[in-house]
Amino acid sequence: MKNPLIIISYGKYDFINSLAIEKLESYHPQSNLELEKVPIQDPYSKNGQELRLNFIRQHLKSNVDYLSGEKTFNDNQSLKGNIENYIGMSQIPTGIIGPLLINGSSAQGPFYVPLATTEGALIASYNRGAKACRESGTITAITLQEGVQRTPTFKFKNLIDLAKFVAWVSENKEIFSILTRETSNYAVLNDLGISIEGNILILKFEYTSGDASGQNMVTICTDKICKYILSNCPIEPVYWTIEGNTSGDKKVTPLTTKVRGKKVTAEITLKRDVIESVLKTTAELLCQQWKISSSGCLKVGASGIATQTANALAALFIACGQDVACTGEAATAITRMEIDENNDLYCAITMSNIIVGTVGGGTSFPTQKECLELMDCYGPGKSGKLAEIAVAVCLAGEISILSAMSSGHFTSAHQTLGR
């Protein structure tokens, strides 16, 4: 069924609806003692691999024949739309962490998360962060906004021509929503931004894209709209392009208070005794390390305040068939830590640019599909869950790496586990 016509003349803002609040408040997680932990013994042996594969098959009831290498990919026809000049598959080692216990507006429950990487210590670090969070409670995660942008740009002879063009565009916004509905079964146009720079006009079309990551979808819809504008507007631009490089696509930009993909915020309060027993540091040292790292981000002009969010996202994106080039924009984050009234440590992370999909793209290839199915994130209706899992993993990773730095274990961990 086609999407209904949407009025696009409203402002965008963070929002938590009452149904999400009820869902979060009614969640009753399993006892930590009841949760099955990923077997971590024999990390480099065939026996250890078999232990983890058996755990996945028996406990998670998932099929991992392609991940394990028991089956190999040979459906070359399915590559159409994903790659050209195909020669074979690059094999990247994939590990698993968890359970990561989440109470989210979309993701609820214990999740075992696959991560593909060649960086020693990464899996161990995220698994330790997940353990510290799990033993302290649940990570609360809420999706605040959604939107994928395309920013066509037009050049005019002068400002007067530009002004006439903008006036015509503003009067015909609802037609653009109809064109979107006619072009895609899933895209919904929900905002139109206008930015003027001399005789240059940037239109920012913002859509939701269902459970697809959406870059191709919104490009096709925007192209249809732009061609309609050019055929019907009485003012012709001197030049136009489908993308003026201002949408934030595949690059780091200061979009931390806006949205590209999904904007998700997550929190956990770490118990003081868990910080000491699992993370081998103290709440005070961990908070001090966060302050130092945050100050460092500001000093170098980083977009956001975070330490290793790109590690989690790149590993998760590779494992799950996402567009890995989006790691740059998606990794933009703001982390925060503070000691609360109980002398425990409140930790939060907000990420505004989580571009993920659970349909289309590379999600249906064998190993990628198996990884998504491990988290019940394959297919329609699952992209919100994947986004919240991604942000929760990032939070666990921030906690673990800052703990290692605060305790002086960062170097020794990499000497032991790295190459």
Side-chain angles (χ1 to χ4, degrees), residues 2 15 19 21 28 32 56 62 77 91 147 154-155 157 170 191 198 220 226 236 258 263 288 302 332 365 394:
K2 296 279 188 178
F15 179 71
L19 291 177
I21 296 171
H28 299 290
N32 185 44
I56 290 169
S62 286
Q77 290 300 312
Q91 293 185 313
F154 304 81
K155 181 179 180 180
K157 291 180 181 179
S170 299
D191 200 14
I220 293 167
C226 288
E236 282 191 42
K258 299 181 182 178
K263 180 178 181 181
Q288 181 63 36
T332 303
F365 287 116
C394 287

Side-chain angles (χ1 to χ4, degrees), residues 43-358:
Y44 310 115
S45 72
K46 181 68 175 177
N47 178 62
Q49 180 188 8
E50 289 298 329
L51 284 173
R52 284 176 281 281
L53 289 172
N54 289 335
F55 170 83
I56 290 169
R57 288 174 174 134
Q58 295 171 14
H59 180 70
L60 303 183
K61 310 300 182 186
S62 286
N63 179 8
V64 286
D65 291 348
Y66 285 96
L67 271 170
S68 65
E70 294 174 23
K71 289 184 179 179
T72 57
F73 175 82
N74 57 14
D75 183 11
N76 287 41
Q77 290 300 312
S78 68
L79 295 165
K80 185 177 180 181
N82 288 96
I83 193 170
E84 301 76 43
N85 301 344
Y86 174 71
I87 59 170
M89 293 286 185
S90 298
Q91 293 185 313
I92 299 176
T94 302
I96 188 169
I97 68 165
L100 188 64
L101 195 54
I102 304 173
N103 179 20
S105 53
S106 294
Q108 284 191 326
F111 293 94
Y112 298 83
V113 184
L115 300 173
T117 183
T118 56
E119 181 184 347
L122 186 146
I123 297 290
S125 176
Y126 281 91
N127 202 44
R128 183 176 79 143
K131 180 181 180 182
C133 291
R134 183 173 67 244
E135 293 192 3
S136 295
T138 60
I139 295 175
T140 301
I142 302 177
T143 300
L144 303 172
Q145 286 191 51
E146 295 185 39
V148 184
Q149 301 79 17
R150 191 52 72 209
T151 53
T153 301
F154 304 81
K155 181 179 180 180
F156 297 88
K157 291 180 181 179
N158 52 55
L159 268 170
I160 294 174
D161 282 357
L162 183 150
K164 291 177 180 178
F165 184 91
V166 169
W168 187 92
V169 166
S170 299
E171 291 170 358
N172 289 274
K173 289 190 294 185
E174 299 313 318
I175 295 175
F176 308 155
S177 188
I178 294 171
L179 291 170
T180 301
R181 184 175 53 164
E182 291 175 349
T183 306
S184 171
N185 287 327
Y186 303 101
V188 174
L189 179 63
N190 63 12
D191 200 14
L192 172 60
I194 296 172
S195 177
I196 297 170
E197 202 175 280
N199 63 347
I200 298 290
L201 168 68
I202 302 166
L203 296 179
K204 183 173 77 170
F205 290 93
E206 182 169 299
Y207 308 80
T208 55
S209 57
D211 287 295
S213 58
Q215 293 99 315
N216 289 342
M217 185 187 298
V218 303
T219 300
I220 293 167
C221 290
T222 304
D223 187 71
K224 179 77 172 286
I225 293 169
C226 288
K227 286 177 178 175
Y228 174 86
I229 292 172
L230 295 169
S231 296
N232 292 274
C233 182
I235 304 297
E236 282 191 42
V238 174
Y239 176 81
W240 83 283
T241 177
I242 190 65
E243 176 57 60
N245 212 21
T246 57
S247 66
D249 193 0
K250 296 180 174 65
K251 59 188 69 66
V252 180
T253 58
L255 292 175
T256 50
T257 58
K258 299 181 182 178
V259 62
R260 180 164 172 78
K262 290 178 173 61
K263 180 178 181 181
V264 180
T265 191
E267 66 177 7
I268 183 77
T269 297
L270 296 176
K271 295 177 181 177
R272 176 171 287 271
D273 60 333
V274 172
I275 295 173
E276 294 173 1
S277 63
V278 176
L279 300 174
K280 311 302 182 186
T281 187
T282 66
E284 288 78 14
L285 283 173
L286 181 48
C287 192
Q288 181 63 36
Q289 180 64 45
W290 169 76
K291 291 177 181 178
I292 293 293
S293 296
S294 299
S295 174
C297 285
L298 294 174
K299 288 175 183 175
V300 300
S303 291
I305 298 171
T307 306
Q308 66 162 352
T309 50
N311 263 339
L313 294 178
L316 184 65
F317 283 11
I318 292 169
C320 296
Q322 305 300 302
D323 189 338
V324 185
C326 290
T327 298
E329 62 197 284
T332 303
I334 296 176
T335 60
R336 186 159 58 85
M337 294 184 179
E338 61 184 40
I339 296 175
D340 67 12
E341 65 277 9
N342 298 315
N343 282 323
D344 293 326
L345 189 68
Y346 175 83
C347 307
I349 190 168
T350 303
M351 304 182 74
S352 306
N353 310 324
I354 301 297
I355 296 272
V356 293
T358 55

Side-chain angles (χ1 to χ4, degrees), residues 29 40 110 158 194 299 318 333 335 370-372 376 385 407 417:
I40 62 173
N158 52 55
I194 296 172
K299 288 175 183 175
I318 292 169
T335 60
E370 287 180 353
C371 285
L372 288 168
D376 188 29
K385 179 188 290 188
S407 64
L417 298 172

